[in-house]
Amino acid sequence: MTSPRDPTLAALAAARDWAGTSLGDPEAWPQRLRLAAALLLPPGTPVAIFWGEPAIAIYNPAYAEILGDRHPAALGAPGAAHGADWWADLGPLIAGVHTTGETFAAQDRPFRIDRHGFRETVHFDISCSPVREPEGVIAGVLCILAETTERVKAEQRLRESEAALRASEALAREQTHELAVMYDNSPVGLAVLDTHLRYVRINRQLAEWNGLSVADHIGRHVSEVVPELTDQVVAALQKVLAGEPLLNIEITGPTRARPDGMSTWRQNWVPVYDENGIVHQIAISCEDVSEERSAQRALVTLNRVGAALSAEHDLERLVQLLTDAGVELTGATVGAFFHNVMDESGERLHLFTLSGGDRALFEGLGRPRATGILEPIFRNVVIRSDDVTREPGYGRNAPHDGMPRGHPAIASYLGVPVVSRDRSVLGGLLFGHSEPGRFTARHEELAQSLAAQAAVAIDNARLLADVRGANETLERRVEERTAALRETEAALRQSQKMEAMGQLTGGVAHDFNNLLTPIIGSLDLILRKRGDDPMLHRLLDGALRSAERASTLVQRLLAFARRQPLQPAPIDMVALVEGMVPLLASTLGPKIALSVTKPEVLPPAHADANQLEMALLNLAVNARDAMPEGGALHIRLALGQGEAAPAPLQPGAYVRLAVRDTGTGMDEATLARAIEPFFSTKGVGRGTGLGLSMVHGLASQLGGTLGLESRLGEGTTAELWLPVSGEALALIEPGPRHEPHDGAGTVLLVDDEEIVRGTAAEMLKALGYAVRQVESAEAALALLDRGLVPDLLVTDHLMPGMTGTDLARHVQARIGPVPTLIVSGYADVEGLARDYAHLPKPFRQADLARALTMLGVR
């Protein structure tokens, strides 16, 4: 058995964190696997074990080199992690060993693998043997590989060389005078060099290109015959002598083959082997591709000029660009472009620009009569546009009236018309050269292509001049849309930030409600039994008021987080505002004038009246603090549509409640943070910074929004947008205000917080109920199973395992309708059922009694 100090296991354990694999720690592997792993020790031979059905791979460093970039991810992973290419060849071999139980062995077996960033065919001698458990079951497969790629390639090269040698010998045996004639008269240059790079044979074509006779080549070194050859070319020929063929090599340089002294050659250099397989000659084929490359360069020039023309919209710069490009394409010594312009009288003139030569080559140059045009024109070539189409001066080597005939610098020229999309003549291209017959048919095709591009560019330039005003308008619109998009993105980022803060504050508020419930409840119970001690009365009363202030703070946090319990209903906003006017007036004080504007008819809003009154009071207090020296507060009610809201809303009608003050206002930075929780400009101890946050959260929770507008020194407007209710206003009767005290029966009390549960139990006992209390919904259902039939169910909502709403439904399903009161630290909008009475935390005994009275329980 392998010892703990087994170097194979130690190496494997160090190579990978095996705890995360299906095999686990190497020390805990099966004995057969540990013994098989010892076979991985030979460092120079690639060895791998594929264990189990998923073929978990374990291998040595030599095998890892084969995998390349796939190591170490493949170590300890199923064989498929080798990659689809490698595993497509290896996987079936592994599966075959499992199926047959026999060893698979092959020599020079090809595999397609991507191990160095590119796909290649490699060859291996491979042996795959089963690794069996003691009872004979195949537990894995041991693979031993030896890469033979280079040997296979060498043998392939040898076979190719032998084939080439045999072909060469056959050609030599079958060569006839006719073949020799074909060799000598081939349009492709052909030659043979010996190992010293001396000419052994050359045909007439290549000899002529080199500027020497065939006999002058034989026995001479290539650099002596063609001194322009570079050292790099000679070094490349040495590679061919080493057995490496070089195909499609292009060389551009000085030559005697062309008038301009430059050529581009495409050559193939191939090694020739003797009967012993040794390179003893180099076969050369050479083709002049100068015209082909010239055509390619011309195409590149046309494309470049086309791109430049599409970007150039100044007509005069465009004309000069065309003449320069034409000279480059045709090799002319001088070129001109003439186009139509109007003088003051409306007469059409032909404007010339020159390129590639001295302007003085043309006689009769002068200033144009067209205003603002600076280029010179031929005085004797002022032709009306009607005459242009009848003029025989277009086409290769055609005469043109007005051109100085017989001028020594212009022996031949090429002229091409430029015709617009509507077939009118825009102008023409004219190029001259001192060599007769210099312009070929290919030059004419290039000039015609340039003329077609010129026509499009000139038309576009004129069109652009007509629509530039429209484009400027479009650009302004794009800038406006871009600015609007930036504002939207900023609003989205702010919304995401506020949503994250809301989730945080909502959770914190829920926990605080659970803490405040026993504090407020216990203080309330103690106050009811306080006796006649005045000091104890003051202390308890102060503690209770502080706790209730904390409760108010928590309610604002819940409002900001949009998790406060709401009871939305159709609200008469006019009546609500008018009912609050006395309270608002007393809150604002005598130095602030209060006014209200309302429409004659206003549909009801979908809102929670109590929360909405608190929101309006918060806005009024904020306005009062912004007007320390006095001012005016105006409340306005109106109707609006969702698309006009300050933030995206669902389409439809909304009631707008705006509160505007004439106070100090806010700058842009303060306004941007105004609704953030705990952000305040009032100073320490003068506010929590949750007023606007609460109002914003309330509006959002109701399906509306809050808009803020403010300018420093000019006051602030806060506007609530609330959806119009789809229900009619209901007659609301005032509820009972007495506190029930004649409770009877058994209450099943469920809450996972022990201290909250204990306080609530004391309140219920004080109201006259017998209480059975449990810590979970599951425990409550267990009591029912044991026969408990409660008269009343009071349960927390959010509890581990099962919510209070779900518990109420289970209770109803088991024992029938039971009056149910659900208590919650905040409203779970989706999970809190509306068909059960709800009491928010924290609460006093009077709040609990009132909720039970509304539930109809005595």
Side-chain angles (χ1 to χ4, degrees):
M1 184 170 179
T2 307
S3 68
R5 297 182 180 274
D6 188 324
T8 301
L9 294 181
L12 289 174
R16 181 179 175 91
D17 180 11
W18 292 91
T21 69
S22 59
L23 293 179
D25 187 352
E27 296 295 338
W29 288 354
Q31 183 177 5
R32 293 296 297 169
L33 177 57
R34 293 158 62 92
L35 292 174
L39 298 176
L40 302 178
L41 279 176
T45 302
V47 182
I49 298 173
F50 296 93
W51 195 256
E53 285 300 325
I56 302 299
I58 308 170
Y59 48 80
N60 64 358
Y63 187 90
E65 293 180 4
I66 295 176
L67 291 180
D69 296 341
R70 303 177 193 203
H71 173 74
L75 184 61
H82 280 50
D85 49 0
W86 179 232
W87 195 243
D89 291 327
L90 185 58
L93 304 183
I94 304 299
V97 174
H98 275 283
T99 301
T100 64
E102 298 179 356
T103 297
F104 172 85
Q107 289 185 334
D108 299 332
R109 194 179 194 282
F111 290 85
R112 291 287 289 168
I113 183 172
D114 183 356
R115 58 178 172 179
H116 298 300
F118 59 89
R119 196 172 180 86
E120 60 178 327
T121 299
V122 295
H123 296 79
F124 292 94
D125 288 346
I126 182 169
S127 172
C128 297
S129 304
V131 179
R132 300 180 183 271
E133 297 286 3
E135 59 272 18
V137 177
I138 297 177
V141 176
L142 175 68
C143 291
I144 303 175
L145 300 92
E147 185 167 358
T148 61
T149 304
E150 292 304 321
R151 185 185 71 196
V152 171
K153 288 183 178 179
E155 291 176 353
Q156 179 65 26
R157 287 195 297 269
L158 180 58
R159 287 193 296 271
E160 292 173 354
S161 297
E162 291 173 349
L165 178 60
R166 288 192 297 271
S168 176
E169 291 173 348
L171 178 62
R173 288 192 301 270
E174 298 174 4
Q175 187 174 29
T176 63
H177 176 70
E178 182 179 357
L179 291 177
V181 171
M182 291 177 60
Y183 182 89
D184 288 338
N185 293 279
S186 171
V188 176
L190 302 172
V192 177
L193 304 179
D194 62 16
T195 56
H196 298 289
L197 304 184
R198 294 175 300 202
Y199 284 97
V200 175
R201 186 171 185 177
I202 187 170
N203 71 348
R204 293 178 184 175
Q205 180 64 75
L206 185 53
E208 290 177 2
W209 286 342
N210 288 342
L212 297 174
S213 66
V214 172
D216 289 338
H217 283 78
I218 306 303
R220 299 176 67 181
H221 193 276
V222 290
S223 61
E224 182 183 357
V225 175
V226 188
E228 295 86 2
L229 288 178
T230 63
D231 294 338
Q232 289 84 351
V233 172
V234 175
L237 290 171
Q238 293 294 340
K239 290 184 179 180
V240 180
L241 290 175
E244 180 181 352
L246 298 179
L247 307 178
N248 296 319
I249 305 300
E250 289 198 7
I251 300 175
T252 300
T255 179
R256 306 177 183 90
R258 294 174 59 86
D260 56 7
M262 293 293 291
S263 288
T264 298
W265 312 97
R266 181 167 57 212
Q267 303 191 28
N268 296 309
W269 305 333
V270 181
V272 179
Y273 297 85
D274 61 15
E275 62 275 7
N276 297 318
I278 299 174
V279 177
H280 73 116
Q281 289 180 334
I282 298 177
I284 296 177
S285 66
C286 183
E287 183 180 1
D288 188 351
V289 293
S290 302
E291 290 295 330
E292 179 182 340
R293 296 297 171 262
S294 177
Q296 291 175 349
R297 288 192 297 272
L299 180 60
V300 170
T301 299
L302 282 173
N303 290 337
R304 173 176 54 80
V305 172
L309 290 175
S310 64
E312 180 58 72
H313 303 301
D314 181 273
L315 194 56
E316 296 175 17
R317 288 197 297 268
L318 185 150
V319 164
Q320 189 60 53
L321 178 64
L322 285 169
T323 54
D324 292 342
V327 169
E328 180 180 350
L329 285 170
T330 63
T333 57
V334 66
F337 182 93
F338 59 95
H339 65 94
N340 297 328
V341 296
M342 291 288 190
D343 65 6
E344 296 88 338
S345 64
E347 183 180 12
R348 192 176 297 272
L349 306 176
H350 292 295
L351 173 67
F352 275 82
T353 58
L354 303 179
S355 178
D358 188 349
R359 295 174 183 252
L361 288 174
F362 292 92
E363 298 177 351
L365 295 180
R367 308 293 288 182
R369 287 181 288 163
T371 303
I373 302 299
L374 302 179
E375 286 84 359
I377 63 170
F378 288 104
R379 289 179 179 171
N380 55 351
V381 191
V382 176
I383 309 173
R384 294 186 179 275
S385 59
D386 293 339
D387 298 330
V388 173
T389 56
R390 298 194 301 268
E391 198 62 49
Y394 296 111
R396 180 161 44 117
N397 298 326
H400 192 293
D401 288 346
M403 285 299 300
R405 298 178 183 274
H407 194 284
I410 309 296
S412 64
Y413 63 91
L414 170 67
V416 181
V418 177
V419 181
S420 71
R421 296 184 184 94
D422 62 2
R423 310 308 301 165
S424 63
V425 176
L426 296 173
L429 294 168
L430 186 67
F431 305 106
H433 203 282
S434 57
E435 297 179 8
R438 168 62 175 146
F439 299 116
T440 65
R442 184 176 66 82
H443 290 130
E444 186 169 357
E445 291 174 359
L446 293 173
Q448 289 172 347
S449 297
L450 184 62
Q453 291 182 341
V456 174
I458 293 173
D459 281 349
N460 290 343
R462 291 180 173 179
L463 178 62
L464 182 65
D466 296 335
V467 300
R468 183 167 287 122
N471 285 346
E472 291 174 354
T473 302
L474 179 61
E475 288 173 1
R476 286 196 301 272
R477 290 181 179 176
V478 170
E479 291 175 356
E480 292 170 358
R481 292 292 297 274
T482 302
L485 179 60
R486 291 196 186 101
E487 292 177 1
T488 302
E489 291 174 345
L492 176 60
R493 288 192 296 270
Q494 178 69 6
S495 174
Q496 292 171 337
K497 180 177 73 173
M498 300 304 291
E499 180 65 24
M501 294 178 70
Q503 292 176 359
L504 173 64
T505 55
V508 171
H510 171 259
D511 293 339
F512 267 101
N513 269 340
N514 278 333
L515 294 174
L516 288 171
T517 296
I519 294 174
I520 291 178
S522 299
L523 289 173
D524 183 44
L525 289 172
I526 295 172
L527 275 172
R528 292 174 182 272
K529 301 177 181 180
R530 65 182 178 273
D532 298 327
D533 187 342
M535 179 178 292
L536 180 61
H537 174 78
R538 287 196 305 273
L539 293 174
L540 290 173
D541 189 60
L544 187 58
R545 284 200 306 271
S546 296
E548 288 178 339
R549 287 180 62 188
S551 176
T552 300
L553 176 62
V554 171
Q555 292 303 316
R556 290 184 175 183
L557 285 173
L558 286 173
F560 164 72
R562 289 175 281 175
R563 295 184 178 181
Q564 62 178 333
L566 297 180
Q567 296 178 343
I571 302 298
D572 184 343
M573 295 294 293
V574 174
L576 184 143
V577 172
E578 289 179 343
M580 288 197 64
V581 165
L583 175 61
L584 295 175
S586 62
T587 301
L588 295 172
K591 295 196 297 183
I592 298 177
L594 175 64
S595 59
V596 178
T597 300
K598 56 185 181 296
E600 294 183 0
V601 179
L602 190 66
H606 178 74
D608 182 308
N610 292 332
Q611 297 294 335
L612 193 57
E613 289 175 351
M614 183 181 295
L616 182 55
L617 184 60
N618 271 320
L619 293 177
V621 170
N622 280 348
R624 180 199 64 190
D625 294 343
M627 297 182 288
E629 304 301 325
L633 180 70
H634 180 68
I635 301 175
R636 177 171 53 85
L637 287 167
L639 192 65
Q641 294 299 316
E643 55 267 22
L649 292 177
Q650 293 293 328
Y654 291 80
V655 176
R656 300 164 59 182
L657 171 61
V659 178
R660 174 173 174 74
D661 65 64
T662 58
T664 55
M666 295 178 280
D667 58 23
E668 292 185 2
T670 303
L671 181 63
R673 301 186 58 193
I675 64 170
E676 290 184 8
F678 308 112
F679 176 76
S680 175
T681 59
K682 298 179 181 180
V684 179
R686 298 194 59 199
T688 62
L690 287 173
L692 286 177
S693 303
M694 183 274 289
V695 178
H696 178 266
L698 172 65
S700 300
Q701 194 170 350
L702 291 170
T705 190
L706 172 67
L708 284 178
E709 294 182 1
S710 185
R711 288 189 178 182
L712 200 60
E714 298 182 11
T716 300
T717 299
E719 186 172 48
L720 269 169
W721 287 64
L722 301 171
V724 169
S725 176
E727 305 174 17
L729 289 171
L731 180 61
I732 301 176
E733 298 181 358
R737 297 187 178 274
H738 67 280
E739 182 177 319
H741 51 81
D742 53 351
T746 301
V747 177
L748 176 56
L749 175 62
V750 187
D751 198 305
D752 60 318
E753 293 282 346
E754 181 179 0
I755 189 170
V756 176
R757 187 172 67 249
T759 304
E762 293 299 325
M763 292 182 182
L764 289 168
K765 291 175 182 177
L767 294 175
Y769 293 97
V771 180
R772 294 291 300 273
Q773 51 177 308
V774 291
E775 72 283 357
S776 67
E778 291 77 10
L781 294 176
L783 286 180
L784 297 184
D785 293 338
R786 292 197 292 268
L788 176 66
V789 181
D791 301 294
L792 174 65
L793 173 63
V794 178
T795 176
D796 187 24
H797 179 56
L798 291 180
M799 298 182 294
M802 185 185 299
T803 66
T805 299
D806 293 336
L807 172 62
R809 289 171 178 154
H810 279 283
V811 170
Q812 184 175 359
R814 293 192 183 193
I815 63 175
V818 176
T820 300
L821 178 63
I822 296 181
V823 182
S824 177
Y826 62 82
D828 181 356
V829 177
E830 297 181 357
L832 187 59
R834 296 181 178 273
D835 50 348
Y836 294 110
H838 173 257
L839 177 63
K841 296 178 183 179
F843 54 85
R844 302 173 65 170
Q845 180 176 314
D847 300 322
L848 177 60
R850 190 174 302 109
L852 295 176
T853 301
M854 296 296 294
L855 190 59
V857 178
R858 293 290 186 269

